[in-house]
Amino acid sequence: MSGPRRRVTQQDIARMAGVSQTTVSVVLNGRSDSDIRIAPDTRDKVLRAIAATGYVADPVARRLAARHNRIIGVFSYEPVFPAANGDFYQPFLVGIEQRAESIGCDLLLLTSTPVVDGRRRIFHPDNRLRLADGCILLGRSLDPEELAKLVADGLPFVSIGRRDDAGGPVPYVGADYVSATAALVDRAVELGHRRLAYLGHGGGAESWADRYLGFVTACARAGAQAVHLAPPIPDGSSTGAAGTRGVVARQVVGDVAAALDAVLGQGITAVIAEEHADGVALFQLARQLRAGISVVTLGEPTRAAQPTDVEFSGLHIPRQEMGAQAVVVLTALIEGQSVAAQRLLTCDVVPGATLTSPMPDAAPRDARTSGRP
Amino acid sequence: MSGPRRRVTQQDIARMAGVSQTTVSVVLNGRSDSDIRIAPDTRDKVLRAIAATGYVADPVARRLAARHNRIIGVFSYEPVFPAANGDFYQPFLVGIEQRAESIGCDLLLLTSTPVVDGRRRIFHPDNRLRLADGCILLGRSLDPEELAKLVADGLPFVSIGRRDDAGGPVPYVGADYVSATAALVDRAVELGHRRLAYLGHGGGAESWADRYLGFVTACARAGAQAVHLAPPIPDGSSTGAAGTRGVVARQVVGDVAAALDAVLGQGITAVIAEEHADGVALFQLARQLRAGISVVTLGEPTRAAQPTDVEFSGLHIPRQEMGAQAVVVLTALIEGQSVAAQRLLTCDVVPGATLTSPMPDAAPRDARTSGRP
DNA sequence: GGGTCGAACTAATACGCATTAGCACCGCAA
DNA sequence: TTGCGGTGCTAATGCGTATTAGTTCGACCC
């Protein structure tokens, strides 16, 4: 009909109320602090007009003029919603959403970031980060280079998940995988396990490196033997927890079956799986073969896992709380308050049913294997 | 460390290149189409300055000048994230997110809408709908009154799911439940079913009414007997597919057990269940009792269903595509283009394993029941 | 030698809001 | 009557960009 309808502006409200645009702005922002006074009935007139039209200040204009608009951007490398990653991100969003609501901020999903070279890029000619007052970064791995730019750029942001420094300290709200993984290893050792394996990359993303670090440290401390069963291609970067790499026997395994071979062949009695899905697959395969190994999975599924009725031993990532804390840190940063901008939240240990005392026949197996070559 | 470093602007570039801000803008936007010409070496000077400073246009100012912010609001009555509704909404969001990304729009989650009288309200004193250029409405039932306000208001919006007119045509992207349900009924009749039941409200929300309409129409056309097994309280509004109500024998059933009683008592051989969860429950109960009835469920679960290994016959709602189409329609509306703003997408029929030929003992059962009173 | 025309720009303005500076009015003291 | 401090408001300006409406300058024509 009439093309794109013009949106209601403060001018319109001003005309309706018979006042100036300035007055409307002042009323809206409740500027009681300054030297500007508005008579109660003038204020009422304005508020009535606003209520009648449902007027809301244009966030874009607001941000241009005032440099803030009470909008929090959420940026992620991976798409947030797809079930491809097993709803892994959902709890973060719930936490973010709840806290954002409670402090009266809206959430803007920065979906418009184009994919270049197979991943979304923050920086490109039309980057929209600045539409929001600040933003929360979601996703397993963030390009360190982009992170550095972001730090340099000065736009407030918080990463969900610990990040190494990138041209400056990176604000984050992460999970303390080091301690949690170590606690799980300790528990395994308590139960009698002496040869443990870590199944996964153990490096690349910080979250993986941290898990691996916890594993290695705890094994060393407890005097347990540690083996690292790594997938063929460590997903791009291969360094990870550099200091510890090499101390531990490392073996590349092509798939879960190969991993199980390695486990059984070397008399390993407990496997700490980086990815839930791998742990599940390994456990089920072992069960089919009637091999009694313990399996611990380090976190909720990020890939679809085979359905199972077993409750896995492992750790619980406080995702919702992480989301909430990220909002807290971000708003503090936006307002220039000084806060602890790097936070690690404790992961609960899930006892589960898959971490038990080693089977009595584990030792013989070990012996046999040792004598094999 | 000089606080918020002033950003480089087109002015700065202009000064560096010894041209006007307009020229910079023109060069940036490559406006070769218009009547504005820029000499190659002028263009070069500007581009060099841009490259030297790493200038990027401020997206905020850009959008202010463009008079729309490329933000799409997503509003839902029911909570979208929580798994309470079995992730029913997720696929819609996936579709929305993907399409929004591909056309360069961001998503504003309007989740902070207060709950009044047990449901979220669009219109309330502090509604933020207008933050976005337009919005997508998600949720089973939308208050017709609010819908009417929205239509009258002129703010571009699209409903996911068909909606009756409300003070004007309501733009929507829905699923063609009428045809899909009819197709399922036809198939049942083909297989030999002669007495069919519809289990569910059959009214209230349009999506229910449509399913019911398809059921009744197809039964009538095929000469099959139709029974409506309705839950005790039809969830607020009770009218629904008004024209057809009353033609069909209607019976109120308290729960699934009661429904099964009615089915068996009346020699019904196939049940079309509005809700997946009800269909599953009914089928499992019937199986326990060794009663061989066919069950069709009309759509993915919106409530948690008992886990099952049976693939149910029924229909598949193209949720992701619906989300994507909603974005398409919305952007067209925002830009004032004329489009088909009411779209019904075809539902695929899922053959499944629960719609089979009627068991031979169905007729005798019927006879027995008839003679009972 | 005035007029036309096109190429290559620029000045001015709009976008919607927040903010700064300042104006008009009123009551009261001098 | 002037002066003066409030009170209650508005005009004007700026944020950084896109766009519209010119302006300048030379070439070319009659």
Side-chain angles (χ1 to χ4, degrees):
Chain A
M1 327 265 201
S2 60
R5 225 180 55 89
R6 217 177 64 79
R7 55 190 300 156
V8 180
T9 70
Q10 287 190 348
Q11 264 314 341
D12 301 326
I13 304 292
R15 266 190 291 272
M16 290 175 61
V19 298
S20 73
Q21 176 260 319
T22 305
T23 305
V24 176
S25 171
V26 170
V27 168
L28 263 161
N29 296 305
R31 299 257 321 270
S32 56
D33 56 305
S34 81
D35 51 352
I36 301 177
R37 306 275 131 127
I38 302 290
D41 47 342
T42 305
R43 173 183 305 274
D44 278 357
K45 274 190 299 184
V46 172
L47 290 178
R48 256 195 300 277
I50 289 175
T53 55
Y55 167 83
V56 184
D58 182 336
V60 170
R62 202 184 169 80
R63 176 138 176 81
L64 186 60
R67 283 78 171 287
H68 66 263
N69 56 10
R70 298 202 68 78
I71 287 182
I72 292 178
V74 178
F75 175 90
S76 72
Y77 276 92
E78 293 105 36
V80 188
F81 293 128
N85 28 37
D87 298 340
F88 183 71
Y89 291 110
Q90 199 148 305
F92 293 116
L93 275 181
V94 173
I96 293 172
E97 181 196 336
Q98 287 181 350
R99 192 50 138 262
E101 176 179 345
S102 79
I103 60 169
C105 280
D106 291 297
L107 277 191
L108 187 63
L109 240 41
L110 278 334
T111 57
S112 56
T113 320
V115 175
V116 180
D117 298 337
R119 68 157 55 160
R120 291 185 172 181
R121 305 239 144 229
I122 298 183
F123 289 95
H124 66 282
D126 198 23
N127 119 60
R128 281 143 190 193
L129 249 42
R130 286 182 180 282
L131 286 179
D133 290 344
C135 80
I136 293 178
L137 265 37
L138 218 51
R140 193 181 340 280
S141 60
L142 298 181
D143 187 319
E145 201 178 306
E146 297 218 294
L147 215 44
K149 261 199 234 176
L150 206 48
V151 172
D153 207 44
L155 184 83
F157 77 99
V158 175
S159 154
I160 287 195
R162 189 181 77 75
R163 307 287 170 195
D164 292 325
D165 283 9
V170 174
Y172 62 76
V173 175
D176 187 355
Y177 293 123
V178 180
S179 306
T181 306
L184 284 163
V185 168
D186 288 348
R187 181 157 170 69
V189 171
E190 258 175 50
L191 287 170
H193 295 274
R194 290 291 170 267
R195 286 181 77 86
L196 312 183
Y198 182 94
L199 175 63
H201 299 101
E206 285 86 347
S207 57
W208 285 338
D210 286 355
R211 287 168 166 95
Y212 183 69
L213 179 61
F215 169 77
V216 172
T217 313
C219 283
R221 196 172 47 206
Q225 280 198 277
V227 175
H228 180 187
L229 303 175
I233 298 154
D235 199 18
S237 64
S238 60
T239 50
T244 61
R245 188 54 56 70
V247 176
V248 172
R250 186 152 181 275
Q251 184 174 348
V252 172
V253 292
D255 57 12
V256 173
L260 187 58
D261 271 357
V263 167
L264 297 179
Q266 300 175 37
I268 291 165
T269 56
V271 176
I272 316 291
E274 193 173 72
E275 289 278 357
H276 185 77
D278 294 336
V280 171
L282 186 77
F283 184 79
Q284 291 182 337
L285 194 57
R287 194 158 58 171
Q288 274 174 27
L289 302 180
R290 311 228 158 259
I293 60 169
S294 284
V295 171
V296 171
T297 70
L298 300 179
E300 273 80 7
T302 62
R303 299 199 314 254
Q306 300 159 45
T308 170
D309 50 350
V310 180
E311 193 200 4
F312 276 76
S313 304
L315 52 82
H316 168 70
I317 307 170
R319 290 176 286 178
Q320 193 165 330
E321 180 60 20
M322 286 168 74
Q325 289 284 320
V327 173
V328 171
V329 172
L330 182 59
T331 47
L333 288 179
I334 289 171
E335 287 164 16
Q337 299 165 8
S338 68
V339 277
Q342 301 191 319
R343 304 186 178 185
L344 280 186
L345 272 41
T346 304
C347 290
D348 286 336
V349 166
V350 178
T354 60
L355 174 55
T356 54
S357 296
M359 295 292 164
D361 66 307
R365 258 182 204 281
D366 186 23
R368 251 181 291 151
T369 308
S370 311
R372 202 186 266 167
Chain B
M1 294 300 148
S2 59
R5 237 165 5 97
R6 210 178 70 79
R7 274 177 66 87
V8 181
T9 71
Q10 290 190 348
Q11 254 331 328
D12 302 327
I13 304 292
R15 264 190 293 271
M16 291 175 61
V19 297
S20 74
Q21 176 260 319
T22 304
T23 304
V24 177
S25 173
V26 170
V27 168
L28 264 163
N29 297 308
R31 299 258 321 269
S32 57
D33 57 302
S34 80
D35 52 350
I36 301 177
R37 306 274 129 124
I38 302 289
D41 48 343
T42 306
R43 174 184 305 275
D44 278 357
K45 275 190 298 184
V46 172
L47 289 178
R48 255 195 301 279
I50 289 177
T53 56
Y55 167 83
V56 180
D58 184 337
V60 179
R62 237 170 198 279
R63 292 187 181 196
L64 182 60
R67 315 155 110 191
H68 57 261
N69 52 30
R70 298 198 73 78
I71 292 178
I72 293 179
V74 179
F75 176 90
S76 72
Y77 274 92
E78 290 102 36
V80 177
F81 293 131
N85 32 35
D87 296 338
F88 181 73
Y89 291 108
Q90 186 119 337
F92 294 116
L93 289 174
V94 174
I96 293 173
E97 188 189 8
Q98 285 181 352
R99 193 50 138 262
E101 171 180 343
S102 78
I103 62 170
C105 279
D106 297 302
L107 257 32
L108 188 66
L109 303 182
L110 297 168
T111 51
S112 57
T113 321
V115 175
V116 180
D117 298 337
R119 65 159 53 162
R120 290 188 169 184
R121 304 243 143 224
I122 299 183
F123 290 97
H124 58 95
D126 196 24
N127 94 72
R128 326 262 301 153
L129 270 181
R130 289 194 162 67
L131 284 179
D133 286 339
C135 77
I136 293 179
L137 265 36
L138 214 52
R140 193 182 341 280
S141 59
L142 298 181
D143 187 321
E145 202 177 304
E146 298 217 296
L147 218 44
K149 255 198 239 179
L150 209 47
V151 172
D153 212 43
L155 185 83
F157 78 100
V158 175
S159 154
I160 288 194
R162 189 182 77 75
R163 308 288 170 194
D164 292 325
D165 284 9
V170 174
Y172 62 76
V173 175
D176 187 354
Y177 293 123
V178 179
S179 306
T181 306
L184 284 164
V185 168
D186 289 347
R187 182 158 169 65
V189 170
E190 259 175 52
L191 287 171
H193 294 275
R194 289 294 169 266
R195 287 181 75 85
L196 312 181
Y198 181 95
L199 175 63
H201 298 100
E206 284 86 348
S207 57
W208 286 339
D210 286 355
R211 288 168 165 95
Y212 183 69
L213 178 62
F215 169 76
V216 172
T217 313
C219 283
R221 195 171 48 206
Q225 279 198 277
V227 175
H228 180 187
L229 303 175
I233 298 153
D235 201 18
S237 64
S238 60
T239 51
T244 60
R245 189 53 57 70
V247 175
V248 172
R250 184 153 184 274
Q251 184 172 348
V252 173
V253 292
D255 56 14
V256 172
L260 187 57
D261 271 357
V263 167
L264 298 179
Q266 299 176 37
I268 291 164
T269 57
V271 176
I272 316 291
E274 190 172 75
E275 289 278 358
H276 184 76
D278 293 337
V280 172
L282 186 78
F283 185 79
Q284 291 183 336
L285 194 57
R287 194 158 59 172
Q288 275 175 26
L289 300 181
R290 312 226 157 260
I293 60 169
S294 283
V295 170
V296 171
T297 70
L298 299 178
E300 274 79 10
T302 61
R303 299 199 313 255
Q306 301 159 46
T308 171
D309 51 350
V310 180
E311 194 199 5
F312 275 76
S313 304
L315 53 82
H316 168 72
I317 307 169
R319 289 174 287 178
Q320 192 167 330
E321 181 58 20
M322 287 168 73
Q325 289 284 323
V327 174
V328 171
V329 172
L330 182 58
T331 47
L333 288 179
I334 289 172
E335 287 164 16
Q337 298 166 9
S338 69
V339 277
Q342 301 190 319
R343 304 187 178 186
L344 280 186
L345 272 42
T346 304
C347 291
D348 286 335
V349 166
V350 178
T354 59
L355 174 56
T356 55
S357 296
M359 295 293 163
D361 66 308
R365 258 183 203 282
D366 184 24
R368 251 181 293 150
T369 307
S370 309
R372 203 186 264 168

